[in-house]
Amino acid sequence: QKEVEQNSGPLSVPEGAIASLNCTYSDRGSQSFFWYRQYSGKSPELIMSIYSNGDKEDGRFTAQLNKASQYVSLLIRDSQPSDSATYLCAVNAEGYSTLTFGKGTMLLVSP
Amino acid sequence: ETGVTQSPTHLIKTRGQQVTLRCSSQSGHNTVSWYQQALGQGPQFIFQYYREEENGRGNFPPRFSGLQFPNYSSELNVNALELDDSALYLCASSSKLTGGNSPLHFGNGTRLTVT
């Protein structure tokens, strides 16, 4: 049974702070890792993908992957109230385009 | 380039009824995947269609079935609706030619409420 674990939160941070979201996964065969943002009542929106160990930066977002520890994280710098949403971690195995999702972490950024 | 579109946006059905949800894939994409997202949960994989055939299935009963058409659009059918089928149903398209590591981009979803 492939599992993806996330703290459900809510994670509360003040505006301008760094938000750190974490995710662990059980399947060592996982090769691709994604972070989706989901606003209430909306569908998930892809914000980051990462495929190799290390950091990947895109604007205010940094994804970090450690395959040995089966751990992936998302850092959001200079958090804005508009970042308030649920962040879903998703993984898939090599050659498969199906994703296993965590339950998501709710992020609340207060002005 | 048009993205993934789903219809209807919202739907209310009664327990025991049947429902059909529709999805038009993104231009150039030949694979369609369906996910169910219950309230407070992450999306769960239902099944995937490639070239009009089912190409993988999650842990869902046979009353969840699908179709893919020659233009790669797809339908999700659910028979004998149960209250627990109330959820957001998400469709995503992708291209097998790009391999399995391409990110999935979802449509806006269909919110199904079963009463």
Side-chain angles (χ1 to χ4, degrees), chain A residues 3-26:
Chain A
E3 294 184 348
V4 177
E5 300 288 340
Q6 295 182 256
N7 189 319
S8 61
L11 173 65
S12 296
V13 300
E15 183 175 358
I18 295 175
S20 177
L21 304 162
N22 304 315
C23 171
T24 59
Y25 58 95
S26 64

Side-chain angles (χ1 to χ4, degrees), chain B residues 73-108:
Chain B
S73 65
S74 177
E75 287 183 354
L76 164 65
N77 299 290
V78 187
N79 295 321
L81 283 167
E82 301 177 358
L83 297 179
D84 285 349
D85 296 333
S86 296
L88 179 66
Y89 288 84
L90 298 163
C91 172
S93 67
S94 57
S95 173
K96 279 287 187 181
L97 294 178
T98 61
N101 294 331
S102 299
L104 292 184
H105 295 273
F106 291 99
N108 288 331

Side-chain angles (χ1 to χ4, degrees), chain A residues 47-68:
Chain A
I47 55 173
M48 288 289 287
S49 58
I50 187 166
Y51 304 99
S52 56
N53 281 328
D55 295 357
K56 178 182 178 182
E57 186 175 320
D58 183 1
R60 295 186 297 113
F61 299 100
T62 299
Q64 299 174 317
L65 174 62
N66 184 326
K67 289 186 179 180

